[in-house]
Amino acid sequence: MVRIAVIDYDLCRPDKCNLECIKFCPINRSGSKAIELSKSKDGKPIIYELVCVGCGICVKKCPYKAITVTNLPDEIERRLIHRYGVNSFKLYGLPTPISGRVLGIVGKNGIGKTTAVKILSGELIPNLGNLDVTPSWEPVLKFYRGSEMLQYLSKLVNKKLRVVHKIQHVDLIRKYVKGFVKDIIVRVDEKGIANEVRKYVNLDSCWDSSVATLSGGELQKFAIAAALLRDADTFLFDEPSSYLDVYERLMVSRAIREFTKNKYVIIVEHDLTILDYISDYVSVVYGDPGVFGIFSKVYSVGSGVNNFLIGYLPSENMRIRAEPIVFDRFGREVVGKSEGEFLSWPNLRKVLDGFELSVKAGEVRKGEVLGIVGPNAIGKTTFIKLLAGELEPDEGYLTTNMLRVSHKPQYVKTELFKWVSVEEAFKELCRSSQLACSDWFQNDVIKRLNLHKLFLRGINELSGGELQKFAIAVALASDADIYLLDEPSAFIDVDERLTVCKAIKKVVEVRKAVAFVVDHDLTVIDNIADRVIVFNGVPGVFGNALSPANLKHGMNVFLKDLDITFRRDRRTGRPRINKPYSYLDRYQKSIGEYFYESPVEEAEE
Ligand code: ADP
Ligand code: ADP
Ligand code: SF4
């Protein structure tokens, strides 16, 4: 066994903690402690792993929950590829790219996916855990001698591979890339396919815009298009679906497959429907986020995603999650939500300065979760505001008293919150709501989302993903009649998405409230929605909200519009997009069944 001691230096606050970790670390036989303050770490502590006895006292004593101490078997340690520094994250193994195939990577946030992508792009030379010398490729090539990876890395090191990397944080592009979209796209078009790519990715709405003014979704499409135009051998896409609605996710997936044929392609993605659609193979990364990550062998896409959900990797004989995630296999009709109507509405119309929303009559029952699907800027938020009494309809009449709405907006900003620290927020919410104080909320929401580690942090210190999780937990902890969660899945990983789904269902059930969940991840909608409201129209011009329909009927209408068909996976019940023109795709279209169980389930790959 090898001991790993990791200190999260972002959390560590030696000026505020009385140095509890050092104070309580037991003195060993040679009269020293395993932990001491280090000049090289700006006066923060370091732990000597060879001296540490693994007593766990520092882990418990640290008020900022900055320390993790764990043991790993020697055979895993032998696969160590990179360590960022003393007491930092360790990465074991790498996914081997396959020429002419799309390799998907799935795993929690902070588990080493971006680190691996940086190594495979040549941006980061791995140090194999040796922190004493400047890293070089020679020992890495030696490390991989006799493996398939050697071929890829040799070409990379010998500059025989040209690599493009679509980075995860596309918002950074605004800072570094100056100019107009059309000029840049034409300039980077090395293969003479700018017009085709422009059409596939649909850049029309921002073609004449300056990069500085692009929205998140436009930046994402611009970055993907710019990558596809390069005459490269390896294409690395880190989270290509962020900020995009379902239509756009499918468009960019098709574009990536179309314009990267016969190349090495690697995709990191948390939207399982998209990951499944776009990839040929999958590697699962598991471990402890922020502490260590281990890359699994490469599985065929169907098996890989299923193994990830079931939580067991057969080739490694490794359990990676205590409970499997299994989806309901068949359409959930509106049964069991019979405690009575919560709210109903007639046909409504609302005009907002150049935008018109028409809503078909409908109703929602107590304890029900309604999924909302449709493009961005189609009137989803406007609809909720009408129901909640925040806006008056121009046509139609709503007899609701003002309902209490807890709203997690699409874009979460720190200014939205009146509290200074995470702890302060939950203390106050706990005083006003029993549910927020319950063991269930503390264990199944706060701890599962790892928010307990952030308690002493200021809200303005949280990263994008942390802020999103915090905002979701605050929205659910607030006592309300209507929960409106606009894109809860943005910036969070698959495990967290499914934790959030479970929490939303429980909150509306216990409070006899209702939730409207807008999301572009169809795995999330399938998991959470009792029924769905489909929005269609022309974004920014007019929107139509159809009446709530059961999942099967609603998704059928939605998928028909998208021209894709879904089947159910045999092992996990998860929805999967059929390959265009495959037997099932053609068959399901011919009988008008765009969603749900396939009449013939294909064999597991
Ligand atoms: P993922 O892409 O799966 O979210 P990353 O590869 O970005 O994960 O990061 C894995 C871990 O490595 C995280 O805990 C992160 O904080 C840490 N890390 C990333 N970059 C650095 C760095 N330059 N120095 C120290 N730690 C880092
Ligand atoms: P979604 O929630 O589907 O993204 P919204 O309901 O937020 O869509 O907005 C629909 C359209 O109405 C958008 O084009 C938006 O710019 C416009 N809009 C929203 N609120 C207002 C307002 N108060 N005044 C004018 N236009 C608005
Ligand atoms: Fe203080 Fe924890 Fe940092 Fe130790 S690890 S110095 S106890 S904050």
Side-chain angles (χ1 to χ4, degrees):
M1 283 287 183
V2 170
R3 181 147 302 124
I4 308 182
V6 170
I7 302 179
D8 186 333
Y9 289 105
D10 287 340
L11 296 180
C12 173
R13 299 274 188 283
D15 50 325
K16 291 190 182 156
C17 69
N18 285 330
L19 300 175
E20 300 279 309
C21 57
I22 298 177
K23 208 168 15 173
F24 287 94
C25 180
I27 294 171
N28 64 20
R29 278 198 213 125
S30 52
S32 59
K33 292 189 175 204
I35 183 164
E36 67 175 27
L37 291 183
S38 158
K39 277 194 192 134
S40 61
K41 291 279 179 193
D42 295 333
K44 292 187 177 179
I46 55 165
I47 300 174
Y48 299 102
E49 287 168 335
L50 292 175
V51 180
C52 172
V53 291
C55 65
I57 294 174
C58 59
V59 177
K60 287 202 191 92
K61 289 288 172 189
C62 171
Y64 290 89
K65 309 226 174 329
I67 303 179
T68 308
V69 177
T70 190
N71 297 320
L72 279 181
D74 293 330
E75 60 267 27
I76 292 205
E77 191 60 26
R78 281 195 282 276
R79 293 174 56 203
L80 179 60
I81 295 297
H82 188 69
R83 187 166 209 187
Y84 277 110
V86 176
N87 299 136
S88 291
F89 176 83
K90 292 176 103 172
L91 181 69
Y92 298 93
L94 284 173
T96 310
I98 305 167
S99 180
R101 295 276 184 256
V102 178
L103 174 63
I105 296 177
V106 62
K108 295 181 179 181
N109 281 333
I111 204 90
K113 300 180 297 299
T114 300
T115 306
V117 165
K118 282 186 181 164
I119 295 171
L120 294 173
S121 69
E123 287 163 54
L124 176 71
I125 304 176
N127 57 23
L128 304 177
N130 186 350
L131 302 173
D132 299 327
V133 293
T134 311
S136 71
W137 283 109
E138 210 182 311
V140 182
L141 296 179
K142 209 160 146 197
F143 180 85
Y144 277 109
R145 211 162 39 196
S147 73
E148 278 178 60
M149 184 63 124
L150 182 67
Q151 205 193 356
Y152 179 85
L153 288 180
S154 303
K155 285 197 255 179
L156 181 73
V157 174
N158 294 318
K159 309 241 177 297
K160 296 213 168 101
L161 284 183
R162 184 146 175 247
V163 182
V164 287
H165 175 189
K166 198 292 292 171
I167 56 169
Q168 181 188 356
H169 297 287
V170 287
D171 36 325
L172 294 177
I173 294 173
R174 271 193 218 107
K175 214 162 134 190
Y176 298 109
V177 181
K178 304 284 170 214
F180 287 88
V181 170
K182 59 182 173 198
D183 299 335
I184 297 167
I185 288 291
V186 169
R187 197 166 65 231
V188 301
D189 180 18
E190 296 170 350
K191 297 184 280 191
I193 54 169
N195 279 336
E196 265 181 280
V197 170
R198 172 185 172 181
K199 228 183 287 158
Y200 257 85
V201 177
N202 191 9
L203 286 177
D204 289 348
S205 66
C206 61
W207 188 246
D208 294 315
S209 310
S210 151
V211 173
T213 63
L214 298 185
S215 68
E218 288 167 340
L219 273 176
Q220 184 71 271
K221 291 194 288 179
F222 167 70
I224 291 171
L228 293 174
L229 293 170
R230 299 283 186 187
D231 190 11
D233 307 289
T234 300
F235 292 85
L236 302 161
F237 294 95
D238 205 344
E239 299 191 25
S241 78
S242 307
Y243 301 106
L244 302 182
D245 64 29
V246 183
Y247 299 81
E248 295 167 325
R249 287 175 193 208
L250 286 166
M251 263 176 349
V252 300
S253 301
R254 287 174 186 147
I256 290 173
R257 287 211 67 111
E258 180 63 26
F259 297 108
T260 61
K261 285 180 180 152
N262 305 318
K263 307 289 179 182
Y264 292 105
V265 188
I266 296 187
I267 313 271
V268 175
E269 185 52 62
H270 295 302
D271 180 331
L272 283 186
T273 315
I274 292 298
L275 181 86
D276 184 76
Y277 181 56
I278 205 168
S279 312
D280 297 304
Y281 296 93
V282 160
S283 179
V284 176
V285 212
Y286 59 99
D288 186 356
V291 181
F292 70 93
I294 306 170
F295 270 92
S296 78
K297 296 197 167 84
V298 167
Y299 292 89
S300 65
V301 63
S303 307
V305 173
N306 283 350
N307 294 339
F308 171 73
L309 288 173
I310 290 166
Y312 176 71
L313 301 174
S315 302
E316 283 84 357
N317 188 18
M318 178 65 66
R319 180 144 293 288
I320 58 168
R321 187 184 310 100
E323 292 165 26
I325 298 166
V326 177
F327 291 73
D328 294 346
R329 276 159 207 240
F330 303 105
R332 274 161 283 154
E333 300 294 330
V334 198
V335 286
K337 313 280 178 196
S338 55
E339 287 198 56
E341 196 173 277
F342 179 87
L343 171 71
S344 67
W345 58 92
N347 287 347
L348 303 168
R349 201 170 79 94
K350 179 76 192 168
V351 178
L352 285 170
D353 193 24
F355 178 80
E356 182 176 336
L357 173 68
S358 302
V359 179
K360 283 262 182 287
E363 89 298 324
V364 56
R365 298 166 198 198
K366 283 182 195 162
E368 203 173 21
V369 180
L370 291 189
I372 295 186
V373 288
N376 284 329
I378 204 79
K380 302 183 293 294
T381 310
T382 308
F383 166 65
I384 302 300
K385 285 185 179 164
L386 288 171
L387 291 190
E390 287 178 37
L391 281 178
E392 285 280 318
D394 299 322
E395 278 174 30
Y397 184 66
L398 275 161
T399 50
T400 52
N401 294 322
M402 284 290 276
L403 293 164
R404 292 169 304 162
V405 180
S406 179
H407 181 191
K408 200 290 292 170
Q410 186 183 3
Y411 296 105
V412 182
K413 298 202 174 96
T414 46
E415 305 86 82
L416 284 174
F417 305 102
K418 58 183 176 180
W419 308 284
V420 174
S421 73
V422 175
E423 187 180 36
E424 194 193 327
F426 287 115
K427 270 196 177 148
E428 189 186 318
L429 287 163
C430 197
R431 274 196 291 275
S432 58
S433 147
Q434 264 188 359
L435 187 73
C437 242
S438 65
D439 287 350
W440 167 76
F441 197 81
Q442 296 302 319
N443 290 324
D444 285 16
V445 182
I446 303 275
K447 285 213 178 112
R448 284 259 179 118
L449 296 178
N450 258 325
L451 288 169
H452 61 301
K453 290 197 172 177
L454 309 174
F455 261 39
L456 298 183
R457 292 268 285 278
I459 290 165
N460 60 1
E461 292 173 284
L462 301 180
S463 70
E466 289 166 348
L467 195 60
Q468 176 74 284
K469 290 191 283 183
F470 171 71
I472 294 169
V474 166
L476 293 179
S478 309
D479 214 352
D481 307 303
I482 298 182
Y483 291 86
L484 164 62
L485 295 126
D486 203 343
E487 273 203 66
S489 75
F491 312 115
I492 66 175
D493 63 39
V494 179
D495 283 77
E496 291 165 342
R497 289 175 191 203
L498 297 166
T499 295
V500 168
C501 288
K502 224 170 159 179
I504 296 171
K505 283 190 250 190
K506 175 118 181 184
V507 166
V508 295
E509 193 184 310
V510 172
R511 289 212 171 106
K512 300 196 184 351
V514 296
F516 292 84
V517 179
V518 178
D519 213 283
H520 301 303
D521 180 337
L522 294 182
T523 307
V524 166
I525 291 291
D526 183 68
N527 188 276
I528 199 171
D530 294 302
R531 292 186 296 157
V532 287
I533 300 179
V534 178
F535 277 67
N536 56 32
V538 177
V541 182
F542 71 89
N544 300 307
L546 307 186
S547 300
N550 71 37
L551 201 58
K552 177 171 176 161
H553 179 70
M555 290 302 283
N556 215 36
V557 170
F558 182 58
L559 296 179
K560 200 168 181 178
D561 197 28
L562 288 169
D563 196 34
I564 55 169
T565 54
F566 267 35
R567 68 189 183 280
R568 289 253 153 212
D569 181 79
R570 188 166 45 87
R571 271 171 78 200
T572 55
R574 72 188 160 94
R576 300 184 69 181
I577 301 178
N578 290 319
K579 293 262 180 280
Y581 310 113
S582 63
Y583 166 72
L584 279 179
D585 186 52
R586 285 179 287 127
Y587 177 74
Q588 287 182 228
K589 279 177 181 165
S590 74
I591 58 166
E593 288 271 351
Y594 282 71
F595 192 59
Y596 271 155
E597 54 296 288
S598 61
V600 189
E601 180 57 87
E602 85 281 39
E604 184 81 18
E605 303 106 301

